[in-house]
Amino acid sequence: MAPSVTKRRKLSHTDNGDEDDAPFSERFGGSPNDTDLSADDSTEVEDAVESDGSMASEDEEAALAKEEAHEGGRGKESIVNQKIRSQARRDPNTNKRRADIPLDGVYTAEIFKSNMFKLQVDELLEQVRPEYGQKQAPAENAMRSLKAIIERIPSRDPLSVHDAERYLMISSKVATPFPHPRPPRDAKYKLQYDRPSSINVAGSYPLKMATSAGEKLAIDLVITMPSAMFQDKDYLNYRYFYKRAYYLACIAAGIKESKEHKFKLTFDCLNGNHLQPIIVVSPSGDGSPDDFSGSKCRIHIILAAAEQTFPCGKLLPEKNCVRPTCSDDENSAKTLDPTPIYNATLKVDLSVTAYLKLLHATSSRCDAYKDACMLGRIWLKQRGFCSHIRKGGFGNFEWAAIMAMLLQSKPGAGVPLLSSGFSSYQLFKATLQFLANRDLSRVPFVFEANDTNLTRTEGTPIFFDGPRGLNILFKMTPWSYKLLQQEASIAVKMLADSTFDQFEPTFILRADPLSYRYDSVLEIPILSLIQDINEENFNKKFSETCRKLYNVLLRALGNRVTLISIILPEEETWPLGSSKPFVNREGRLLLGFATDSVNSERTVDHGPAAENKNEAASFRKFWGEKAELRRFKDGSILESVVWSQKEGSGPILKQIIQFILRRHISADVADKAIIAGNQFATLIPSGDIVGQSGTAPFLSIMNAFSALEKDIRNLENLPLQIRHILGADPQLRYSSIDPPRTVTHRQMSIPASIIIQFEGSGRWPDDLAAIQRTKIAFLLKLAELLSEHNPELTTRVGLENPSYPSQNQSFLDITTSSGHSFRLRIHHEREATLLERRLKDKTFDGTSREAAALALAVYKSSFLRIPAHTQAIQTLCTRFPAVSPSIRLVKKWFTSHLLTPHFAPELIELLVARTFLQPYPWNVPACATTGFLRTLFWISRWDWRYTPLIVDFSSAEERAGMKADEPTAITTRFEAWRRIDPALNRVVLFAASNLDPEGATWTDRARPAKVVAGRMTALARAAVAALKDNESMIAAGKASLLALEPEMLFVSSLTDYDFVLHLAPRYTRAGKAKKEARADNSMFKNLQLQAEADKGGELVGYDPVTLFTDELQEIYGHAVIWFYDTEGGDTVAGLWNPAMTARRSWRVRGGYSSVPLAGTGTRRGKGEEVTGEVDGVEVEINKEGILNEIARLGGELVERVEILKK
Amino acid sequence: MPSLNPTRNVAPTPQKVADYIILPLTLPSLPSLQTIAKHYLYIRPHAPKLPDPDSERSLFIANVPIDATEEGFRKLFAEQFDGGRVERVEFEASVPQYPTTRKRKEGSGGQNGVRGKKRKRDDAEVVAEGVIEDEETRLPRVWGREVRESGSSAVVVFVDRASARGVMKEIEKAVKKGREIKWKLDDENGLGVKRYRTHHSLTFPPKPILQASINAYLTAFNRAEIARNRVRARQRAVPDEDGFITVTRGGRNGPVRIEDAEAAKEKLEERKKKKGVMEDFYRFQVREKRKEREGELRRKFEEDRRKVSEMRERRGRIVPMS
């Protein structure tokens, strides 16, 4: 069957096919909420809105009238259905016409990102859509009773402001929530209450665009105040808002006095706008008939006014509506500053109906609109945005309104930006593109209002909706707009990723936790910014201060940061009886900085040239005594600022912030401010990014390596030409925890592996063992030639793998006079062929074929994969400065939890590389801490049983990454592994990259085993949970920024293990390093040099602890799961493998040291003595005996054996 | 004394299992581990399936301690079992496990060759691969003292039959009486740091010694290679009893490069491709191709749908994080 276009159409809705078939009446008007609440049914859709025009909300998306949904909705349904039908009729023709177009897009690939993406989106929408019907019935009942109560509230006669407020307080104990400044005592106007002209449910709930994920649903009950209450000039000087506040207080009092219910009432501000108080109705929670806690929602009672109450022109953004108290002269209005926020707030109250109309019309015109709105909601929520002024001022309503307007064509401007034929995903993506690509703060978007001249404030975005005369983005601040732009552009980038579907980062992950999103966070107590927090115009002053803070920091930090964001403490609702609480005295301002890793640690800031008088003066004024005139190498003379790089002066970012706060804000603020940034970097040596790269500590070894390479290439008389010399060691890819050589540690203790490959030659023997001998002969020759060529090099040939004759047998250690050591091995391609041949040869027994398979795997990883991996990581480290310290920090985490013996270093590096190559939903990490924390976060969510890790190194390069079929191939391979090994006995983690599509290179042979991988996940989860707790404490103002000690994430208790071996520190690497450091301070320089010369590199690579632990693995690896720190720690912990240690019947070859026990068989007969019958004897692992053996094996290496569990 | 195996106190340790005597050894108390622990040997007279002259005067010991050495056993029997004189001890498995270098016996198959390296079909005298290593040709040892695998066995060969029997009786007596037998630390041939230090030195054998060993090996290898070539040549030339000629390696200079063969194959395929008929020439071809593509798309879609539903089953609902 050729898929018809009908099919295509269906899929292009986000609704499932079957849902599409459902009658619209059911989806639209059938829910019980629209039956009772609306008294009068209107007949025509348009009329419903216009005549009734009563209910609306400015809060969430705009509103859909009940009435409309009820009858009008049904009328609508038939139209829509007809449309669909007629389209279906036309379909066959279209089908024919399109027959020769390739049908690749039939199944959603074009209109959605991919099938998977679409299916997941469907699933997601399904889940977040609140259940209408049974579950919401209590809430709807509650709304009905609220409506009845409100309708019965008696009118109150006009009273003077003072009397009205006092009377309400005395009679009902309700404090009128007047906005600041409070109304003057001598106000001439009166406050009154009359029956509302309409009461309606509005907002996203009746529109069915609400989402119910996590937070409680808010249902808006909009009450329209009668127009008769207001006078012409009420839009001036807060008069409207005073009347509104009184009206709200009257409603609150009315509900409170009614005895029919048990609702809990509190005041709040709509979207944090103090001009718009609202009533929040919460369920009583006691199971009474009114209790609607089962519906998991709150009801917001919101006030609105009729649209024509005030003339539209007076409320445009550039007008002033708050006249100074000293003069009442109307004529001076033109010179007064505009009051855009005041005007817009008032406008919002008036245009509730207008937006309701707009959104409803759009949703009926464009099928996918609702779903796109829901996607937008989810996306915004996961980024911490909402309509609340303190949370960005960009929420669901703003999203829906912008999309609705972009769907309309601008007269004369050609095609609209969005088309109603788009799928929900296309709408969503195009809206994001609009947000990402336009700078609305520079070029305002004006919709159908060409003659309006808009005054602009620096950094504030404008999206002016002409017909309704409102700047939709009026609540946004410069920083929240920047953040929104950045988030949108990240989202556009990740949706453009053709390799991975990126569904999770787009909709599932939360992007707003401080520790993942920002590299540094600054904390300032509000009290230090503004002393008098009880002041009347606090709000104004506060927002001015924030703006100033933002501006000076922005100028001072320049391109060192990519984002500065101000996070304000949350406000709470307050009880009816009291006035709005003042700002919390303990409140703190948080400023998040996302830094640019290349620029953030720059020491010199260049200013304008000295000749440029004006700019230079401004620069000097800004920087004060810090500014100096400097002459630079290129001859230019520039104003500049220089920062100290000395130890103890702290990160440059911190220095700048401190200086700027002191100079431009106040000394008090500078003293009380706390700056937290990259705290975890202190846990590893040289963890901070110095200058412009994170690879500085490895500079010397890289130089030494290239010098050695040159030496080897310059050798004459080598029997064969060299093809290449490659690094194959963490130390040569900037990712060993400790830099190879430090000031106190001049001799590298572990030689860095390198691989040499000669050109092909037919003179190699065609025999595995003989090849190994020939390699040794080569190494001997190489050693001889090298020593001749450069007498400063010490060389010696070493042997390895005595138990595995088919693996590599030899290496050459080369130590330079500077203290660098390299371990060189020869790569010979023929080995692989011979091993493969042996693997396939049926004449060999199982053991030797098994050995061949192992040798082949070892060959592939050590000669092919590791060098390739090393190069890839090298490139990545130079490309992103934070990669190297992040890898080292993550390794430190693994090793601190004693996990390193189970995880190949390459695997850990891949985990970190993923954080940088697929950083979504964030930008690429700019410091070690964010790199580390985000990696942990990913690990904590890694469902390794069902998901492979796929890293695409090529995505960092210019030409875009993997082809689409590569991940598919990798996934197929992964699934194959899971099919052959469903119990995860062999491959537990699966980590592939474009360089290594096999995926099991680093994790084959249960490295790590399932239980260890589980421990990794558990530890990562614990760390992530600790971070989250800490973050919520910070958000609640209960904890300081520095409350979480970085070390906390690196300590795990030893009590989970069965026993622990404590090694003598004098043999461990860490212990030795400490001793050396101590010796370094006490010894004379010459003696010290002598001591080092004596060693002569003899002990390079000698590490008894590693030898000991390797032997433990080899001897007891099957009976004990070992945990230790491969980086020289002094703890070796063990867990008895439960599979091996269980009691079982006796066998000659037990596989481990056993203790014989009288079996259950003998205990059966009472009188019988213990005899030596086989069936009567069982064995158990001899734990004491084995521990004793281990202690004997370790000798003085083991200081103490601690038995934790018996 | 804290016991790791509390169940053991329930019933006395058995003294015999099958035809093995269970001999408990008291392990030395160590500075790092003060507890008193026991190790259990399972001992019986050696009775291999294919008896050899030595088996009469040998004892088979299972579950030897990892630090067991020939010297250790010699002392154990001499001092605590009344003068049993040990000639040698053959251990079953040790760490590191060196490949054995015993010579292969006539007609006994590939079992005792260099760890199965030899092929069964080869002529008796010639090893299929490498050379049979001896003292001269093998690589220098890098470990001073070997240790045993946990739970492995050993065969103790005594000087004569009487000695072996005497010791066996002595053991039975000791077990019955409950005499304490001690496993002693072998201080001279120390374990621990000293052993690792020795290993580190041995890892880097002096260059001349290494060179000599390599030279010896390569000479032997060349000799073996010549012998092998001769055998192969003969096999190529002479049919066996059934009249077949064995296909063997060689026959021309140097081994065939598999890479070359693969490259040639690729080239051939490429040439074939170029020559092939145009694939979208006929209408039916186009139609079929499209059908195929549609089918593929549908299949993929179904697959994805299945995946998502699996995901849902596994993780529950897809819900944004809170």
Side-chain angles (χ1 to χ4, degrees), chain A residues 991-1050:
Chain A
S993 71
N994 58 324
L995 303 172
D996 171 29
E998 281 174 25
T1001 308
W1002 317 120
T1003 57
D1004 201 356
R1005 284 159 223 280
R1007 194 174 177 223
K1010 202 160 63 181
V1011 49
V1012 182
R1015 183 160 172 87
M1016 164 190 83
T1017 303
L1019 285 166
R1021 285 204 181 135
V1024 167
L1027 278 175
K1028 200 175 168 186
D1029 283 351
N1030 181 47
E1031 208 128 285
S1032 54
M1033 293 284 274
I1034 292 175
K1038 283 179 195 146
S1040 149
L1041 265 186
L1042 303 170
L1044 184 82
E1045 295 278 323
E1047 287 84 1
M1048 268 170 56
L1049 301 190
F1050 288 77

Side-chain angles (χ1 to χ4, degrees), chain A residues 708-725:
Chain A
L708 176 68
E709 184 175 352
K710 211 182 268 165
D711 275 341
I712 297 178
R713 282 190 185 279
N714 285 344
L715 290 182
E716 287 162 19
N717 305 329
L718 262 185
L720 288 174
Q721 285 296 304
I722 292 162
R723 194 180 286 169
H724 40 227
I725 302 172

Side-chain angles (χ1 to χ4, degrees), chain B residues 120-137:
Chain B
K120 292 174 185 173
R121 60 165 186 257
D122 276 344
D123 259 19
E125 293 301 322
V126 183
V127 196
E129 283 184 10
V131 284
I132 294 167
E133 292 175 18
D134 55 19
E135 279 303 307
E136 208 178 328
T137 53

